[in-house]
Amino acid sequence: MSSMPQVNDTRGNQSVHILMQELGSVLCLDCSLHTLLDKYIELLVNHFEARCGFYTPFWFEELSLVSSLRVFKEEAWSGDDAELDALCERARKRYAAYPDDTFLYDAEDDPFLCLRLADNGHPEMWLIIALEKPMSNEALNAFVPLVSWFHNGMVQCRRKTTLDSTQTRIDEMTRGMAETMAQLVQAEKMSELGKLTAGIAHEINNPIGYIRSNLETLVQYVETFEELFAEIAQWAKTKPGCSEMLQELEAKYDLSFLLEDAHEIVATNVSGIDRIRDIVSDLYAFSRKGEGKMMPLSLQDVIQRCVKLTKTRFDNHHQIQVNVHTDTPYCVGDASQLEQVMINMMINAAHAMPAGGVLSLDLSSTENRLILKVKDTGVGMDKVTQQKIFSPFFTTKPTGVGTGLGLSISHGILQAHNATVSVESAINEGTEFTLSFPLYRELSD
């Protein structure tokens, strides 16, 4: 370290003691590294009544004046590039002469001092202070031991930042593992439910079959009864008094209404049984275990099936519109997996429209793509939510709400089908998903 001119410093050890107390207060702050370094510079500039001060990283034997560098000068943050460059050059020369010193000081011309704060695995941070006057030996000897305080404070700040980051990552991983486990449990439940549903569907199909067969027979019986009563009426006209008696019986029991209503009742029951059969068939198709085989299919049929399956999730305040604007609604895929994607999106739309609204499913095609737009008039999403909806474990729904199939899984299914998905949404204006599939043409030829 170079020799210094003897300059009286009336503050001496008392000033250093005050600086030590202020430094202790700064080290107790819970702040970022850059905030800590800002505080360091302010303390040093005020302590030495310096002209200005700044900090900068020392990379590969070079000082780096980054564009965001701030210089504390005259109680404000500003800077003069020429002055900074000159101070950095002087600090580099001082370092070359005394490479082992953590405290660099030069009293010649414009005096300055530099604190080298090092931490393993990181570049050194150099605190450079431009002094108004040289330091006395007494002031210098009193200040030098504090360099280790500045150094240790920076190291502890970095360690705390690393610890906080690690803890945050651990918390995210723990939460992710818990949610993954919940999804696995739910997937297992869905698998068992699918097996159970398939078995129930098979068992229900048997009574549905003979009930419908009996209803068809009953239709024939009602027609036979009509023919019988018509023949009795013709016969009664040939027998004195029988015709009047038959008319009285017909009026008494309202026979014409009974025959007409019997037709309507039987027809309604047949229609109801057909509806039950279709529902069971759709449940069986949805619950069957997907084999992951890609086959040509009609996306229009998938949509219609999903509309039937999710009908109970919408009420009288909702409208579902299916619009098909293509004669080639075909793609290659696994119908069961695409049904899962569609049902998930439709149920999400129902949740987004708690007070009612319109869900439109528009299917169209271009020369090479099959385009499906799923649009609701619900609460919508902000930009931040839109960026996260396809991320694993992200949800805006409360616990227990939904199908257990997240948009992240849907996104993976679509990727497996060489399909793309995009979303446009605005708060209180609704959301529109656009799904694009490679078009399959052979089925339309």
Side-chain angles (χ1 to χ4, degrees), residues 397-427:
K397 299 176 184 177
T399 303
V401 177
T403 63
L405 177 66
L407 282 175
S408 61
I409 300 176
S410 297
H411 189 255
I413 291 175
L414 293 172
Q415 285 183 323
H417 286 72
N418 295 320
T420 62
V421 58
S422 61
V423 60
E424 293 183 4
S425 185
I427 298 296

Side-chain angles (χ1 to χ4, degrees), residues 318-333:
H318 293 103
Q319 296 181 35
I320 301 178
Q321 300 175 351
V322 179
N323 305 305
V324 179
H325 307 288
T326 178
D327 295 328
T328 56
Y330 307 108
C331 64
V332 175

Side-chain angles (χ1 to χ4, degrees), residues 186-204:
Q186 183 68 9
E188 183 64 23
K189 289 181 180 179
M190 291 294 289
S191 175
E192 293 302 319
L193 180 60
K195 297 175 183 178
L196 179 62
T197 302
I200 293 175
H202 178 73
E203 294 298 325
I204 291 177

Side-chain angles (χ1 to χ4, degrees), residues 338-406:
L338 292 180
E339 285 168 9
Q340 288 181 327
V341 173
M342 286 300 305
I343 287 175
N344 182 67
M345 287 188 171
M346 293 174 69
I347 291 177
N348 284 345
H351 290 158
M353 301 185 292
V358 178
L359 171 63
S360 61
L361 306 167
D362 295 318
L363 186 62
S364 61
S365 62
T366 63
E367 183 178 357
N368 298 311
R369 308 291 292 184
L370 187 62
I371 310 298
L372 172 62
K373 294 181 180 290
V374 182
K375 183 177 182 180
D376 65 62
T377 58
V379 296
M381 297 179 288
D382 57 29
K383 295 295 183 182
V384 175
T385 302
Q386 292 178 52
Q387 293 173 355
K388 295 181 178 180
I389 56 174
F390 296 117
S391 300
F393 318 123
F394 177 79
T395 179
T396 59
K397 299 176 184 177
T399 303
V401 177
T403 63
L405 177 66

Side-chain angles (χ1 to χ4, degrees), residues 99-118:
D100 297 327
D101 287 354
T102 58
F103 179 79
L104 305 175
Y105 173 74
D106 187 357
E108 298 176 0
D109 298 327
D110 294 327
F112 80 96
L113 59 86
C114 173
L115 279 62
R116 294 173 50 203
L117 309 182

Side-chain angles (χ1 to χ4, degrees), residues 88-189:
C88 287
E89 181 62 25
R90 293 181 64 192
R92 277 195 294 267
K93 290 181 179 179
R94 200 69 187 175
Y95 167 76
Y98 303 95
D100 297 327
D101 287 354
T102 58
F103 179 79
L104 305 175
Y105 173 74
D106 187 357
E108 298 176 0
D109 298 327
D110 294 327
F112 80 96
L113 59 86
C114 173
L115 279 62
R116 294 173 50 203
L117 309 182
D119 186 12
N120 291 335
H122 299 278
E124 292 184 358
M125 296 301 299
W126 284 20
L127 313 184
I128 301 177
I129 307 297
L131 303 175
E132 290 285 2
K133 59 184 179 180
M135 297 174 63
S136 66
N137 284 337
E138 180 183 5
L140 182 61
N141 293 332
F143 175 76
V144 169
L146 288 186
V147 176
S148 61
W149 283 47
F150 287 92
H151 173 268
N152 291 335
M154 186 193 72
V155 172
Q156 292 301 320
C157 182
R158 273 192 171 138
R159 288 178 180 175
K160 183 179 184 305
T161 301
T162 302
L163 180 62
D164 291 344
S165 177
T166 302
Q167 185 61 49
T168 300
R169 181 57 180 161
I170 290 174
D171 291 343
E172 291 176 351
M173 292 177 64
T174 302
R175 183 169 57 254
M177 290 176 63
E179 294 179 0
T180 300
M181 182 59 69
Q183 284 195 350
L184 290 174
V185 171
Q186 183 68 9
E188 183 64 23
K189 289 181 180 179

